[in-house]
Amino acid sequence: MGVRLMVVDDHRLLAEALASALKLRGHRVLAAAAPVAGAADLVISRAPEVCLLGTAAPAEPGIFDPVVKVKRERPQVAVLVLGPVPSPRGIAAAFAAGASGYVRHDERIEGVERAIMKARAGEAAVAPQLLQGAFGELLNPAAQPDDEGQRLLRMLTPREVEVLVRVADGEDTRLIAAGMGIAPSTARTHVQRVLMKLGVGSRLEAAALAARTGLLDRAGPVRGAAPSEEWGSGGAGERTE
């Protein structure tokens, strides 16, 4: 007996191709939708038995928020994630969000169909080799690459972090100086130090780099703190150097 399905993927052609293949195998595909971010409401309204949810970045924060929403509104819908070979964190995040299984994008249609049937039956649908790889990585973790945002943040002093935040907000030298209570020449020097440490040639590049690496999010609230909190015990004299 066929399964009532929905296929959701940011790549519409992939979604439509998979939907067509599943229709040929006797399944009822209610919709092939994209993008993933806005598909949760459609899944909730159509209430399929199984939703196939494609993702290219299973470890990205918030990527499984649509799964959480679907399971909250339609707990009877089984969500099956389709993605690349995941890290243990990716598999854990999928299941923590409420997914019923994880299938590799390059799996044969027969494997996808088996996973669909397991998900509909309320079983966990994960290929044994994926679980073996996940457990192997957990037992013998590979060295993690440096977090670029954290690395860059460590290069800057607290004062330079505040300067960078203000640069990213579009403040010019005059506004930076007024906001920090320092001379414009001092503000200009701090800006040049920030650019040099980040290895960029302009304020725009610095702002773009900070946004791309998540440095601004990690910086947290840096304005309005007392001198003792931001720059140690140097007091007001140090703040205006």
Side-chain angles (χ1 to χ4, degrees), residues 48-240:
E49 293 178 279
V50 179
C51 170
L52 301 176
L53 177 75
T55 177
E60 183 177 322
I63 196 69
F64 296 122
D65 286 351
V67 181
V68 174
K69 184 173 183 179
V70 168
K71 297 302 291 185
R72 182 175 62 244
E73 301 293 330
R74 295 284 187 179
Q76 74 276 18
V77 175
V79 181
L80 190 62
V81 175
L82 300 171
V85 177
S87 67
R89 183 177 300 177
I91 291 180
F95 278 94
S100 298
Y102 192 106
V103 180
R104 283 174 50 164
H105 265 147
D106 58 357
E107 179 64 75
R108 296 173 63 87
I109 190 64
E110 294 85 0
V112 175
E113 189 173 38
R114 284 194 297 271
I116 290 171
M117 303 308 290
K118 282 188 174 184
R120 184 177 69 167
E123 302 176 24
V126 185
Q129 60 268 31
L130 282 184
L131 286 180
Q132 290 170 3
F135 281 125
E137 186 172 333
L138 287 172
L139 293 173
N140 300 287
Q144 295 298 312
D146 289 339
D147 183 315
E148 186 177 4
Q150 188 62 44
R151 179 180 62 81
L152 293 174
L153 191 60
R154 287 196 297 265
M155 294 169 57
L156 304 176
T157 67
R159 185 177 298 187
E160 290 166 349
V161 171
E162 179 172 356
V163 169
L164 177 59
V165 171
R166 291 178 180 277
V167 166
D169 284 347
E171 294 186 9
D172 59 18
T173 301
R174 180 181 56 81
L175 288 175
I176 292 173
M180 296 179 65
I182 58 179
S185 59
T186 303
R188 192 174 301 109
T189 298
H190 286 318
V191 170
Q192 291 303 316
R193 287 178 180 171
V194 169
L195 299 184
M196 180 183 66
K197 288 185 176 181
L198 296 182
V200 297
S202 69
R203 297 182 183 212
L204 183 60
E205 289 180 69
L209 177 63
R212 177 175 61 80
T213 61
L215 192 155
L216 295 177
D217 295 332
R218 293 178 179 277
V222 296
R223 301 181 188 178
S228 60
E229 294 175 329
E230 281 297 307
W231 297 294
S233 58
E238 184 185 5
R239 185 171 171 80
T240 57

Side-chain angles (χ1 to χ4, degrees), residues 19-36:
S20 297
L22 290 168
K23 284 180 181 178
L24 291 175
R25 300 181 75 86
H27 300 289
R28 182 185 175 196
V29 182
L30 303 179
V36 170

